[in-house]
Amino acid sequence: MLKDVHNSSAPEPSLANDPDGHLYDPGVRSSMAAFALGDDTLALEAAAAVRSASQSIDRLRAHGAGGRGLSAGALDLLTRLGNADADGLTIGSLARAAGVSSRNVTGLVDTLERENLARRVQHPDDRRSVRVTISPAGREWLDAFRLPTQRAMSAVFRGFTPEELAQFRHLCLRLVVNQQQLEQYLGGMQS
């Protein structure tokens, strides 16, 4: 049931408007009502909508990646490396910035190196410190990716006012903060 809610190969959902004029997905509502055993489904529907929106953005990003096969995580790291100074960044600092484990970042850096988009270099003053820098090919790739991405995001957010975009960003980041606080709370309970 839940796999049907988020199956990216499924046809586009048929959306409807509730009495207040807000969009909703009747299929998701029906699935969530069965899952929740008749309890309120608004938070579950909102979570499904966030996931659907995220998948839509990821599909656009993947399409814009020109078949290069970069995941959203690898693309995020490449963007961070493109903004770093010439010394690059450590695996640890990339992991902290991306909010993932160093092991995850190591795999993503391996991918970027295989694609010749980034490289590991030893820090000139500390041979134990390995840093990651963007390669010239990585910088060219980012430059070619930038304009199509800006156009795609403008199209996706067409009709949103600047205030709505700021509110949308704020609400999404509140979800992140709530998730982090919940994770800390649950981690504290396990200690």
Side-chain angles (χ1 to χ4, degrees):
M1 168 184 44
L2 288 178
K3 68 181 169 68
D4 297 331
V5 172
H6 297 298
N7 184 350
S8 62
S9 64
E12 292 301 314
S14 297
L15 302 179
N17 288 86
D18 67 15
D20 294 325
H22 297 114
L23 289 171
Y24 76 97
D25 184 327
V28 168
R29 180 166 287 174
S30 174
S31 294
M32 292 298 109
F35 175 74
L37 302 175
D39 285 341
D40 182 28
T41 63
L42 191 55
L44 295 170
E45 288 182 61
V50 167
R51 182 165 177 181
S52 294
S54 176
Q55 289 173 341
S56 293
I57 297 295
D58 284 346
R59 281 193 300 273
L60 269 179
R61 286 172 66 165
H63 179 73
R68 194 88 189 229
L70 288 185
S71 67
L75 182 57
D76 180 52
L77 289 190
L78 188 61
T79 302
R80 290 175 192 281
L81 292 171
N83 292 324
D85 61 27
D87 288 338
L89 299 165
T90 65
I91 296 285
S93 64
L94 283 168
R96 282 187 298 282
V100 298
S101 70
S102 293
R103 174 179 277 170
N104 190 342
V105 168
T106 297
L108 293 171
V109 170
D110 290 345
T111 298
L112 292 173
E113 276 191 314
R114 273 193 306 276
E115 293 289 327
N116 195 31
L117 300 174
R119 60 180 173 245
R120 288 178 174 92
V121 294
Q122 284 191 326
H123 191 278
D125 300 330
D126 182 359
R127 293 175 43 134
R128 296 169 296 164
S129 177
V130 175
R131 300 181 76 79
V132 183
T133 62
I134 190 169
S135 70
R139 195 161 301 284
E140 287 174 23
W141 191 91
L142 269 182
D143 288 343
F145 184 71
R146 184 173 291 114
L147 187 57
T149 299
Q150 289 171 323
R151 287 181 180 154
M153 292 306 116
S154 291
V156 166
F157 289 103
R158 181 182 61 237
F160 284 69
T161 66
E163 293 80 18
E164 288 171 329
L165 289 173
Q167 181 68 6
F168 184 69
R169 180 194 62 213
H170 172 75
L171 294 172
C172 288
L173 293 176
R174 276 182 52 196
L175 288 175
V176 172
V177 168
N178 287 350
Q179 179 274 329
Q180 290 170 341
Q181 290 174 344
L182 180 60
E183 207 169 78
Q184 287 174 344
Y185 173 76
L186 294 174
M189 290 181 65
Q190 293 174 353
S191 301

